[in-house]
Amino acid sequence: MMQMSVTMHPIWQTGGVILAAAIVAALLLQIVAHRILPISLRREQTELGAAIFSVVGVTYAVLLAFIATAAWEQYSAAEALARHEAALIGNIYRVSHGLPEPAGTQIRAELTAYLTHIIDVEWPAQIAGEAIPPSEPLLTMLDQAMLRAKPADIEQSNAQTFLIGALSDVATARRDRRLASHGTIPELVWVVLLSGGALMVAFSFILGGPTPAMHLLMTAILVASGVLVLLLIVGLSSPFHGALTIPPDAYTGVLAEIRASP
């Protein structure tokens, strides 16, 4: 739910609001903490606190880097999945010319309708965070059209066999795309990331900075760096919906090729 609410608006807009709010909240809390903890007490604990802070900070930084890398890999995999599905559709269209008529013409017409459906119906629904249905009637119609084809020779029989297998791969790719439409980072991971970040910032409050203004500046930089990475993870973990969604360029490219073909 958190991922969807963040990614449903322009990331620069939502991210800017979250970043500013986080920095302001952290600085206000730091001012309150410094009023409670005298500077003499904080400076006495600075050496020990800095040593502990460095260990905890490295651990949290490694965790952030690991999750960010995993989110980027999942985003790249989702992009490759979309390209793969589009390429399969293009292959089916080309090989369908090897089937007897009228089956070949019917398959190409339904394949064009399926591509148009992905671009005009499914993709906007994914961006809006809506779940696309598990089954698609157009794929069922394509499957039936392929099975009804009556090959006249071995070449047409081979083409039919290839098309049936390729259509099964398209259905699998569509299922994987549907499952990847929502965030891939478990809620428990978000709890750990947010809690760990909050504890890191709070721990920095007890350190004795050289001057109050410099300490506030360092806290603002610490908060900003952490929030920016978290926003990056949020955007990458939802590859098919929100402001950072993968565009349907692979599908529109195949559709343009189909419409330009004789």
Side-chain angles (χ1 to χ4, degrees):
M1 293 299 293
M2 181 194 70
Q3 295 163 265
M4 184 175 297
S5 62
V6 172
T7 57
M8 284 310 298
H9 303 283
I11 193 65
W12 62 267
Q13 183 181 45
T14 307
V17 172
I18 294 176
L19 180 61
I23 291 176
V24 170
L27 295 183
L28 290 175
L29 289 174
Q30 179 173 320
I31 292 173
V32 172
H34 285 186
R35 288 184 178 274
I36 298 174
L37 301 174
I39 184 62
S40 58
L41 176 62
R42 288 186 282 113
R43 284 181 175 171
E44 288 177 0
Q45 308 301 324
T46 294
E47 185 175 351
L48 176 61
I52 297 175
F53 186 79
S54 63
V55 175
V56 176
V58 169
T59 303
Y60 185 71
V62 170
L63 176 62
L64 270 183
F66 176 78
I67 300 300
T69 302
W72 173 253
E73 291 176 349
Q74 291 172 353
Y75 187 91
S76 299
E79 191 173 22
L81 175 64
R83 291 197 301 266
H84 178 61
E85 183 183 8
L88 287 172
I89 294 172
N91 291 339
I92 292 175
Y93 187 90
R94 287 186 290 271
V95 177
S96 67
H97 287 87
L99 290 182
E101 297 300 340
T105 300
Q106 180 183 0
I107 289 172
R108 288 189 290 276
E110 292 174 353
L111 205 59
T112 303
Y114 177 60
L115 265 177
T116 304
H117 179 76
I118 291 177
I119 297 169
D120 296 339
V121 178
E122 289 192 351
W123 220 264
Q126 290 177 164
I127 293 176
E130 301 174 5
I132 59 177
S135 61
E136 174 49 53
L138 288 171
L139 288 180
T140 302
M141 295 169 62
L142 273 167
D143 187 50
Q144 294 173 349
M146 291 177 184
L147 293 175
R148 284 196 301 266
K150 304 297 182 183
D153 52 42
I154 187 63
E155 291 183 357
Q156 292 183 353
S157 178
N158 290 338
Q160 183 187 41
T161 301
F162 171 83
L163 291 175
I164 293 173
L167 185 62
S168 176
D169 293 339
V170 168
T172 300
R174 180 183 181 276
R175 181 197 64 204
D176 293 340
R177 171 167 55 85
R178 183 177 66 86
L179 295 176
S181 294
H182 300 288
T184 53
I185 306 298
E187 294 296 329
L188 178 60
V189 175
W190 285 117
V191 172
V192 172
L193 288 178
L194 295 176
S195 301
L199 291 174
M200 280 283 299
V201 174
F203 192 89
S204 70
F205 296 166
I206 65 175
L207 301 178
T211 63
M214 185 60 66
H215 198 168
L216 289 172
L217 177 60
M218 290 188 291
T219 298
I221 295 174
L222 174 65
V223 172
S225 61
V227 170
L228 287 174
V229 176
L230 289 174
L231 289 172
L232 175 66
I233 294 173
V234 170
L236 294 177
S237 64
S238 302
F240 289 117
H241 79 81
L244 291 181
T245 184
I246 296 170
D249 293 346
Y251 302 92
T252 55
V254 172
L255 184 60
E257 293 176 5
I258 288 175
R259 289 175 173 170
S261 63

mmCIF file of all heavy atoms in Angstrom, residues 70-111:
data_model
loop_
_atom_site.group_PDB
_atom_site.id
_atom_site.type_symbol
_atom_site.label_atom_id
_atom_site.label_comp_id
_atom_site.label_asym_id
_atom_site.label_seq_id
_atom_site.Cartn_x
_atom_site.Cartn_y
_atom_site.Cartn_z
ATOM 1 N N ALA A 70 18.697 -5.331 -5.480
ATOM 2 C CA ALA A 70 17.663 -6.325 -5.773
ATOM 3 C C ALA A 70 16.485 -5.685 -6.501
ATOM 4 O O ALA A 70 15.936 -6.265 -7.451
ATOM 5 C CB ALA A 70 17.183 -6.976 -4.472
ATOM 6 N N ALA A 71 16.097 -4.475 -6.088
ATOM 7 C CA ALA A 71 14.987 -3.782 -6.748
ATOM 8 C C ALA A 71 15.340 -3.444 -8.186
ATOM 9 O O ALA A 71 14.505 -3.576 -9.097
ATOM 10 C CB ALA A 71 14.632 -2.513 -5.975
ATOM 11 N N TRP A 72 16.574 -3.013 -8.427
ATOM 12 C CA TRP A 72 17.004 -2.696 -9.786
ATOM 13 C C TRP A 72 17.021 -3.955 -10.658
ATOM 14 O O TRP A 72 16.614 -3.915 -11.828
ATOM 15 C CB TRP A 72 18.390 -2.053 -9.757
ATOM 16 C CG TRP A 72 18.978 -1.857 -11.136
ATOM 17 C CD1 TRP A 72 19.991 -2.544 -11.712
ATOM 18 C CD2 TRP A 72 18.530 -0.905 -12.118
ATOM 19 N NE1 TRP A 72 20.224 -2.090 -12.983
ATOM 20 C CE2 TRP A 72 19.339 -1.082 -13.255
ATOM 21 C CE3 TRP A 72 17.533 0.067 -12.129
ATOM 22 C CZ2 TRP A 72 19.178 -0.312 -14.407
ATOM 23 C CZ3 TRP A 72 17.369 0.839 -13.279
ATOM 24 C CH2 TRP A 72 18.183 0.649 -14.400
ATOM 25 N N GLU A 73 17.496 -5.058 -10.106
ATOM 26 C CA GLU A 73 17.517 -6.313 -10.872
ATOM 27 C C GLU A 73 16.099 -6.768 -11.207
ATOM 28 O O GLU A 73 15.843 -7.254 -12.321
ATOM 29 C CB GLU A 73 18.257 -7.389 -10.076
ATOM 30 C CG GLU A 73 19.756 -7.142 -9.949
ATOM 31 C CD GLU A 73 20.449 -8.170 -9.085
ATOM 32 O OE1 GLU A 73 19.725 -8.957 -8.415
ATOM 33 O OE2 GLU A 73 21.696 -8.195 -9.066
ATOM 34 N N GLN A 74 15.165 -6.612 -10.269
ATOM 35 C CA GLN A 74 13.781 -6.984 -10.534
ATOM 36 C C GLN A 74 13.152 -6.068 -11.577
ATOM 37 O O GLN A 74 12.384 -6.518 -12.426
ATOM 38 C CB GLN A 74 12.984 -6.937 -9.228
ATOM 39 C CG GLN A 74 13.371 -8.023 -8.242
ATOM 40 C CD GLN A 74 12.714 -7.863 -6.882
ATOM 41 O OE1 GLN A 74 12.059 -6.865 -6.609
ATOM 42 N NE2 GLN A 74 12.898 -8.843 -6.013
ATOM 43 N N TYR A 75 13.493 -4.799 -11.523
ATOM 44 C CA TYR A 75 12.981 -3.856 -12.526
ATOM 45 C C TYR A 75 13.511 -4.220 -13.911
ATOM 46 O O TYR A 75 12.766 -4.226 -14.892
ATOM 47 C CB TYR A 75 13.412 -2.442 -12.144
ATOM 48 C CG TYR A 75 12.811 -1.354 -13.007
ATOM 49 C CD1 TYR A 75 11.611 -0.741 -12.645
ATOM 50 C CD2 TYR A 75 13.440 -0.921 -14.164
ATOM 51 C CE1 TYR A 75 11.063 0.264 -13.423
ATOM 52 C CE2 TYR A 75 12.903 0.078 -14.952
ATOM 53 C CZ TYR A 75 11.711 0.670 -14.575
ATOM 54 O OH TYR A 75 11.169 1.659 -15.362
ATOM 55 N N SER A 76 14.803 -4.533 -13.994
ATOM 56 C CA SER A 76 15.401 -4.921 -15.272
ATOM 57 C C SER A 76 14.796 -6.226 -15.783
ATOM 58 O O SER A 76 14.566 -6.383 -16.987
ATOM 59 C CB SER A 76 16.920 -5.066 -15.124
ATOM 60 O OG SER A 76 17.512 -3.844 -14.732
ATOM 61 N N ALA A 77 14.542 -7.164 -14.870
ATOM 62 C CA ALA A 77 13.931 -8.434 -15.267
ATOM 63 C C ALA A 77 12.509 -8.218 -15.793
ATOM 64 O O ALA A 77 12.092 -8.861 -16.763
ATOM 65 C CB ALA A 77 13.917 -9.401 -14.089
ATOM 66 N N ALA A 78 11.768 -7.306 -15.159
ATOM 67 C CA ALA A 78 10.414 -7.007 -15.631
ATOM 68 C C ALA A 78 10.448 -6.357 -17.006
ATOM 69 O O ALA A 78 9.600 -6.643 -17.871
ATOM 70 C CB ALA A 78 9.706 -6.094 -14.627
ATOM 71 N N GLU A 79 11.423 -5.484 -17.230
ATOM 72 C CA GLU A 79 11.563 -4.858 -18.543
ATOM 73 C C GLU A 79 11.896 -5.895 -19.608
ATOM 74 O O GLU A 79 11.357 -5.868 -20.726
ATOM 75 C CB GLU A 79 12.653 -3.790 -18.483
ATOM 76 C CG GLU A 79 12.718 -2.884 -19.689
ATOM 77 C CD GLU A 79 13.706 -1.751 -19.503
ATOM 78 O OE1 GLU A 79 14.617 -1.899 -18.655
ATOM 79 O OE2 GLU A 79 13.564 -0.724 -20.183
ATOM 80 N N ALA A 80 12.785 -6.834 -19.266
ATOM 81 C CA ALA A 80 13.125 -7.910 -20.197
ATOM 82 C C ALA A 80 11.921 -8.809 -20.450
ATOM 83 O O ALA A 80 11.731 -9.313 -21.572
ATOM 84 C CB ALA A 80 14.295 -8.728 -19.640
ATOM 85 N N LEU A 81 11.101 -9.020 -19.432
ATOM 86 C CA LEU A 81 9.894 -9.830 -19.584
ATOM 87 C C LEU A 81 8.942 -9.202 -20.593
ATOM 88 O O LEU A 81 8.374 -9.903 -21.451
ATOM 89 C CB LEU A 81 9.201 -9.984 -18.233
ATOM 90 C CG LEU A 81 7.854 -10.701 -18.225
ATOM 91 C CD1 LEU A 81 8.018 -12.151 -18.662
ATOM 92 C CD2 LEU A 81 7.226 -10.628 -16.831
ATOM 93 N N ALA A 82 8.759 -7.875 -20.511
ATOM 94 C CA ALA A 82 7.882 -7.195 -21.460
ATOM 95 C C ALA A 82 8.431 -7.299 -22.877
ATOM 96 O O ALA A 82 7.670 -7.549 -23.839
ATOM 97 C CB ALA A 82 7.722 -5.730 -21.054
ATOM 98 N N ARG A 83 9.734 -7.118 -23.031
ATOM 99 C CA ARG A 83 10.335 -7.241 -24.367
ATOM 100 C C ARG A 83 10.186 -8.657 -24.899
ATOM 101 O O ARG A 83 9.952 -8.869 -26.101
ATOM 102 C CB ARG A 83 11.810 -6.845 -24.316
ATOM 103 C CG ARG A 83 12.054 -5.357 -24.076
ATOM 104 C CD ARG A 83 13.490 -4.992 -24.459
ATOM 105 N NE ARG A 83 14.453 -5.752 -23.685
ATOM 106 C CZ ARG A 83 15.014 -5.326 -22.547
ATOM 107 N NH1 ARG A 83 14.664 -4.142 -22.053
ATOM 108 N NH2 ARG A 83 15.889 -6.064 -21.918
ATOM 109 N N HIS A 84 10.323 -9.641 -24.010
ATOM 110 C CA HIS A 84 10.198 -11.044 -24.426
ATOM 111 C C HIS A 84 8.780 -11.342 -24.896
ATOM 112 O O HIS A 84 8.596 -11.997 -25.936
ATOM 113 C CB HIS A 84 10.576 -11.950 -23.254
ATOM 114 C CG HIS A 84 10.442 -13.409 -23.544
ATOM 115 N ND1 HIS A 84 11.151 -14.047 -24.532
ATOM 116 C CD2 HIS A 84 9.647 -14.370 -22.973
ATOM 117 C CE1 HIS A 84 10.826 -15.330 -24.570
ATOM 118 N NE2 HIS A 84 9.912 -15.545 -23.642
ATOM 119 N N GLU A 85 7.792 -10.879 -24.155
ATOM 120 C CA GLU A 85 6.405 -11.113 -24.558
ATOM 121 C C GLU A 85 6.115 -10.462 -25.909
ATOM 122 O O GLU A 85 5.483 -11.067 -26.788
ATOM 123 C CB GLU A 85 5.449 -10.569 -23.506
ATOM 124 C CG GLU A 85 3.979 -10.841 -23.823
ATOM 125 C CD GLU A 85 3.029 -10.244 -22.805
ATOM 126 O OE1 GLU A 85 3.492 -9.483 -21.930
ATOM 127 O OE2 GLU A 85 1.815 -10.521 -22.895
ATOM 128 N N ALA A 86 6.585 -9.234 -26.094
ATOM 129 C CA ALA A 86 6.368 -8.544 -27.364
ATOM 130 C C ALA A 86 7.068 -9.265 -28.508
ATOM 131 O O ALA A 86 6.516 -9.393 -29.614
ATOM 132 C CB ALA A 86 6.856 -7.104 -27.264
ATOM 133 N N ALA A 87 8.288 -9.763 -28.264
ATOM 134 C CA ALA A 87 9.013 -10.485 -29.310
ATOM 135 C C ALA A 87 8.300 -11.776 -29.683
ATOM 136 O O ALA A 87 8.248 -12.152 -30.869
ATOM 137 C CB ALA A 87 10.437 -10.778 -28.840
ATOM 138 N N LEU A 88 7.750 -12.471 -28.699
ATOM 139 C CA LEU A 88 6.992 -13.692 -28.991
ATOM 140 C C LEU A 88 5.789 -13.396 -29.874
ATOM 141 O O LEU A 88 5.494 -14.150 -30.818
ATOM 142 C CB LEU A 88 6.529 -14.338 -27.680
ATOM 143 C CG LEU A 88 7.595 -15.042 -26.837
ATOM 144 C CD1 LEU A 88 7.008 -15.437 -25.492
ATOM 145 C CD2 LEU A 88 8.122 -16.274 -27.567
ATOM 146 N N ILE A 89 5.100 -12.298 -29.585
ATOM 147 C CA ILE A 89 3.939 -11.928 -30.392
ATOM 148 C C ILE A 89 4.362 -11.636 -31.826
ATOM 149 O O ILE A 89 3.701 -12.043 -32.790
ATOM 150 C CB ILE A 89 3.228 -10.714 -29.763
ATOM 151 C CG1 ILE A 89 2.644 -11.104 -28.408
ATOM 152 C CG2 ILE A 89 2.129 -10.191 -30.682
ATOM 153 C CD1 ILE A 89 2.079 -9.944 -27.613
ATOM 154 N N GLY A 90 5.489 -10.933 -31.980
ATOM 155 C CA GLY A 90 5.990 -10.661 -33.324
ATOM 156 C C GLY A 90 6.353 -11.940 -34.074
ATOM 157 O O GLY A 90 6.079 -12.073 -35.275
ATOM 158 N N ASN A 91 6.968 -12.889 -33.382
ATOM 159 C CA ASN A 91 7.317 -14.167 -34.012
ATOM 160 C C ASN A 91 6.073 -14.935 -34.448
ATOM 161 O O ASN A 91 6.045 -15.534 -35.530
ATOM 162 C CB ASN A 91 8.142 -15.018 -33.047
ATOM 163 C CG ASN A 91 9.525 -14.440 -32.805
ATOM 164 O OD1 ASN A 91 10.038 -13.656 -33.603
ATOM 165 N ND2 ASN A 91 10.135 -14.811 -31.690
ATOM 166 N N ILE A 92 5.048 -14.927 -33.587
ATOM 167 C CA ILE A 92 3.805 -15.612 -33.939
ATOM 168 C C ILE A 92 3.200 -15.004 -35.191
ATOM 169 O O ILE A 92 2.712 -15.720 -36.085
ATOM 170 C CB ILE A 92 2.810 -15.550 -32.764
ATOM 171 C CG1 ILE A 92 3.322 -16.400 -31.593
ATOM 172 C CG2 ILE A 92 1.425 -16.022 -33.192
ATOM 173 C CD1 ILE A 92 2.457 -16.299 -30.349
ATOM 174 N N TYR A 93 3.220 -13.681 -35.277
ATOM 175 C CA TYR A 93 2.643 -13.009 -36.448
ATOM 176 C C TYR A 93 3.373 -13.432 -37.721
ATOM 177 O O TYR A 93 2.737 -13.735 -38.739
ATOM 178 C CB TYR A 93 2.713 -11.496 -36.273
ATOM 179 C CG TYR A 93 2.000 -10.734 -37.358
ATOM 180 C CD1 TYR A 93 0.651 -10.406 -37.235
ATOM 181 C CD2 TYR A 93 2.678 -10.347 -38.518
ATOM 182 C CE1 TYR A 93 -0.008 -9.705 -38.234
ATOM 183 C CE2 TYR A 93 2.027 -9.652 -39.522
ATOM 184 C CZ TYR A 93 0.682 -9.335 -39.374
ATOM 185 O OH TYR A 93 0.025 -8.662 -40.385
ATOM 186 N N ARG A 94 4.690 -13.465 -37.671
ATOM 187 C CA ARG A 94 5.455 -13.820 -38.874
ATOM 188 C C ARG A 94 5.248 -15.276 -39.270
ATOM 189 O O ARG A 94 5.049 -15.591 -40.450
ATOM 190 C CB ARG A 94 6.939 -13.526 -38.637
ATOM 191 C CG ARG A 94 7.276 -12.037 -38.642
ATOM 192 C CD ARG A 94 8.768 -11.809 -38.540
ATOM 193 N NE ARG A 94 9.276 -12.156 -37.219
ATOM 194 C CZ ARG A 94 9.333 -11.297 -36.198
ATOM 195 N NH1 ARG A 94 8.892 -10.064 -36.351
ATOM 196 N NH2 ARG A 94 9.823 -11.667 -35.028
ATOM 197 N N VAL A 95 5.281 -16.169 -38.294
ATOM 198 C CA VAL A 95 5.155 -17.597 -38.602
ATOM 199 C C VAL A 95 3.733 -17.946 -39.034
ATOM 200 O O VAL A 95 3.517 -18.920 -39.763
ATOM 201 C CB VAL A 95 5.579 -18.445 -37.387
ATOM 202 C CG1 VAL A 95 5.386 -19.934 -37.651
ATOM 203 C CG2 VAL A 95 7.046 -18.166 -37.033
ATOM 204 N N SER A 96 2.756 -17.138 -38.616
ATOM 205 C CA SER A 96 1.368 -17.432 -38.979
ATOM 206 C C SER A 96 1.135 -17.393 -40.483
ATOM 207 O O SER A 96 0.147 -17.948 -40.976
ATOM 208 C CB SER A 96 0.419 -16.436 -38.297
ATOM 209 O OG SER A 96 0.610 -15.128 -38.801
ATOM 210 N N HIS A 97 2.055 -16.761 -41.218
ATOM 211 C CA HIS A 97 1.923 -16.772 -42.678
ATOM 212 C C HIS A 97 2.150 -18.160 -43.248
ATOM 213 O O HIS A 97 1.819 -18.410 -44.426
ATOM 214 C CB HIS A 97 2.920 -15.789 -43.306
ATOM 215 C CG HIS A 97 2.536 -14.344 -43.104
ATOM 216 N ND1 HIS A 97 2.898 -13.630 -41.990
ATOM 217 C CD2 HIS A 97 1.811 -13.503 -43.876
ATOM 218 C CE1 HIS A 97 2.429 -12.391 -42.083
ATOM 219 N NE2 HIS A 97 1.761 -12.283 -43.214
ATOM 220 N N GLY A 98 2.698 -19.050 -42.452
ATOM 221 C CA GLY A 98 2.913 -20.419 -42.920
ATOM 222 C C GLY A 98 1.713 -21.326 -42.735
ATOM 223 O O GLY A 98 1.773 -22.509 -43.085
ATOM 224 N N LEU A 99 0.605 -20.816 -42.168
ATOM 225 C CA LEU A 99 -0.602 -21.606 -41.971
ATOM 226 C C LEU A 99 -1.558 -21.433 -43.149
ATOM 227 O O LEU A 99 -1.542 -20.403 -43.834
ATOM 228 C CB LEU A 99 -1.307 -21.189 -40.682
ATOM 229 C CG LEU A 99 -0.625 -21.548 -39.360
ATOM 230 C CD1 LEU A 99 -1.491 -21.107 -38.205
ATOM 231 C CD2 LEU A 99 -0.339 -23.046 -39.271
ATOM 232 N N PRO A 100 -2.401 -22.402 -43.380
ATOM 233 C CA PRO A 100 -3.387 -22.278 -44.464
ATOM 234 C C PRO A 100 -4.435 -21.229 -44.115
ATOM 235 O O PRO A 100 -4.662 -20.909 -42.943
ATOM 236 C CB PRO A 100 -3.999 -23.678 -44.542
ATOM 237 C CG PRO A 100 -3.820 -24.249 -43.175
ATOM 238 C CD PRO A 100 -2.519 -23.703 -42.681
ATOM 239 N N GLU A 101 -5.062 -20.696 -45.132
ATOM 240 C CA GLU A 101 -6.152 -19.739 -44.931
ATOM 241 C C GLU A 101 -7.464 -20.498 -44.733
ATOM 242 O O GLU A 101 -7.618 -21.616 -45.239
ATOM 243 C CB GLU A 101 -6.236 -18.795 -46.129
ATOM 244 C CG GLU A 101 -4.992 -17.921 -46.330
ATOM 245 C CD GLU A 101 -4.702 -17.024 -45.151
ATOM 246 O OE1 GLU A 101 -5.619 -16.774 -44.345
ATOM 247 O OE2 GLU A 101 -3.555 -16.577 -45.027
ATOM 248 N N PRO A 102 -8.425 -19.942 -44.008
ATOM 249 C CA PRO A 102 -8.406 -18.579 -43.432
ATOM 250 C C PRO A 102 -7.796 -18.512 -42.032
ATOM 251 O O PRO A 102 -7.866 -17.477 -41.397
ATOM 252 C CB PRO A 102 -9.877 -18.232 -43.386
ATOM 253 C CG PRO A 102 -10.543 -19.540 -43.090
ATOM 254 C CD PRO A 102 -9.744 -20.585 -43.824
ATOM 255 N N ALA A 103 -7.212 -19.630 -41.541
ATOM 256 C CA ALA A 103 -6.690 -19.644 -40.170
ATOM 257 C C ALA A 103 -5.596 -18.604 -39.970
ATOM 258 O O ALA A 103 -5.564 -17.904 -38.957
ATOM 259 C CB ALA A 103 -6.175 -21.036 -39.829
ATOM 260 N N GLY A 104 -4.682 -18.472 -40.946
ATOM 261 C CA GLY A 104 -3.595 -17.526 -40.804
ATOM 262 C C GLY A 104 -4.074 -16.096 -40.669
ATOM 263 O O GLY A 104 -3.606 -15.342 -39.807
ATOM 264 N N THR A 105 -5.025 -15.715 -41.515
ATOM 265 C CA THR A 105 -5.563 -14.350 -41.457
ATOM 266 C C THR A 105 -6.276 -14.093 -40.132
ATOM 267 O O THR A 105 -6.137 -13.017 -39.523
ATOM 268 C CB THR A 105 -6.533 -14.110 -42.620
ATOM 269 O OG1 THR A 105 -5.823 -14.282 -43.854
ATOM 270 C CG2 THR A 105 -7.114 -12.707 -42.559
ATOM 271 N N GLN A 106 -7.023 -15.074 -39.659
ATOM 272 C CA GLN A 106 -7.742 -14.918 -38.396
ATOM 273 C C GLN A 106 -6.756 -14.764 -37.230
ATOM 274 O O GLN A 106 -6.954 -13.918 -36.350
ATOM 275 C CB GLN A 106 -8.652 -16.117 -38.144
ATOM 276 C CG GLN A 106 -9.433 -16.020 -36.839
ATOM 277 C CD GLN A 106 -10.271 -17.264 -36.566
ATOM 278 O OE1 GLN A 106 -10.279 -18.209 -37.357
ATOM 279 N NE2 GLN A 106 -10.951 -17.268 -35.429
ATOM 280 N N ILE A 107 -5.708 -15.553 -37.227
ATOM 281 C CA ILE A 107 -4.711 -15.469 -36.150
ATOM 282 C C ILE A 107 -4.043 -14.101 -36.144
ATOM 283 O O ILE A 107 -3.863 -13.489 -35.095
ATOM 284 C CB ILE A 107 -3.667 -16.597 -36.307
ATOM 285 C CG1 ILE A 107 -4.308 -17.949 -35.972
ATOM 286 C CG2 ILE A 107 -2.453 -16.334 -35.417
ATOM 287 C CD1 ILE A 107 -3.417 -19.128 -36.279
ATOM 288 N N ARG A 108 -3.690 -13.600 -37.316
ATOM 289 C CA ARG A 108 -3.024 -12.292 -37.384
ATOM 290 C C ARG A 108 -3.959 -11.174 -36.929
ATOM 291 O O ARG A 108 -3.523 -10.231 -36.252
ATOM 292 C CB ARG A 108 -2.522 -12.042 -38.807
ATOM 293 C CG ARG A 108 -1.318 -12.911 -39.175
ATOM 294 C CD ARG A 108 -0.697 -12.513 -40.486
ATOM 295 N NE ARG A 108 -1.563 -12.833 -41.622
ATOM 296 C CZ ARG A 108 -1.626 -14.012 -42.210
ATOM 297 N NH1 ARG A 108 -0.878 -15.017 -41.759
ATOM 298 N NH2 ARG A 108 -2.412 -14.208 -43.254
ATOM 299 N N ALA A 109 -5.227 -11.279 -37.277
ATOM 300 C CA ALA A 109 -6.190 -10.258 -36.848
ATOM 301 C C ALA A 109 -6.363 -10.278 -35.324
ATOM 302 O O ALA A 109 -6.390 -9.219 -34.670
ATOM 303 C CB ALA A 109 -7.524 -10.476 -37.546
ATOM 304 N N GLU A 110 -6.478 -11.456 -34.752
ATOM 305 C CA GLU A 110 -6.656 -11.564 -33.304
ATOM 306 C C GLU A 110 -5.375 -11.195 -32.554
ATOM 307 O O GLU A 110 -5.433 -10.650 -31.439
ATOM 308 C CB GLU A 110 -7.113 -12.970 -32.945
ATOM 309 C CG GLU A 110 -8.525 -13.284 -33.448
ATOM 310 C CD GLU A 110 -8.926 -14.730 -33.211
ATOM 311 O OE1 GLU A 110 -8.056 -15.516 -32.776
ATOM 312 O OE2 GLU A 110 -10.094 -15.077 -33.473
ATOM 313 N N LEU A 111 -4.236 -11.468 -33.160
ATOM 314 C CA LEU A 111 -2.967 -11.094 -32.550
ATOM 315 C C LEU A 111 -2.829 -9.569 -32.509
ATOM 316 O O LEU A 111 -2.371 -9.006 -31.501
ATOM 317 C CB LEU A 111 -1.814 -11.707 -33.348
ATOM 318 C CG LEU A 111 -0.493 -11.956 -32.618
ATOM 319 C CD1 LEU A 111 -0.704 -12.886 -31.436
ATOM 320 C CD2 LEU A 111 0.524 -12.532 -33.573
#
